[in-house]
Amino acid sequence: MASTPREEPDKEGVEFIHEEDGSITARDRETGVASFGDTKSEALRMLAEALELHEGGGEPVTDEDLREMGLDPDDEGDEELPGFMR
């Protein structure tokens, strides 16, 4: 079970959660966006990237990106979507 600091009324800032596996989760209090790393510094860097993407930053994934990851961009998959995605 993760330990979290006491919830404070101020919704700004970052909350650090020390996970059982030794990793540290950094969570933006305003948006609820979270990311993790092995250190607070790494968790903050990952959170900054997650926040940028959350706010519409970053680049869209291209077919070439998918191919580089070993995925076929034309494969629509045969699996049925989970209920929450229908």
Side-chain angles (χ1 to χ4, degrees):
M1 187 163 138
S3 62
T4 59
R6 203 177 56 159
E7 188 64 32
E8 297 181 21
D10 183 10
K11 290 290 185 186
E12 291 188 14
V14 174
E15 161 182 46
F16 291 101
I17 303 164
H18 296 268
E19 304 291 351
E20 286 183 357
D21 66 359
S23 65
I24 299 173
T25 297
R27 186 180 74 82
D28 178 66
R29 289 183 176 166
E30 183 180 343
T31 63
V33 172
S35 196
F36 68 96
D38 291 330
T39 64
K40 282 185 177 182
S41 158
E42 182 181 8
L44 280 172
R45 280 194 303 274
M46 299 301 288
L47 177 59
E49 182 178 332
L51 284 168
E52 179 181 353
L53 294 171
H54 175 75
E55 294 169 357
E59 299 293 323
V61 176
T62 65
D63 287 354
E64 184 178 331
D65 294 330
L66 292 173
R67 285 186 196 94
E68 287 176 9
M69 292 182 245
L71 301 171
D72 180 0
D74 298 321
D75 182 9
E76 296 180 18
D78 297 332
E79 298 175 16
E80 186 176 326
L81 291 174
F84 73 91
M85 293 180 74
R86 289 186 219 145

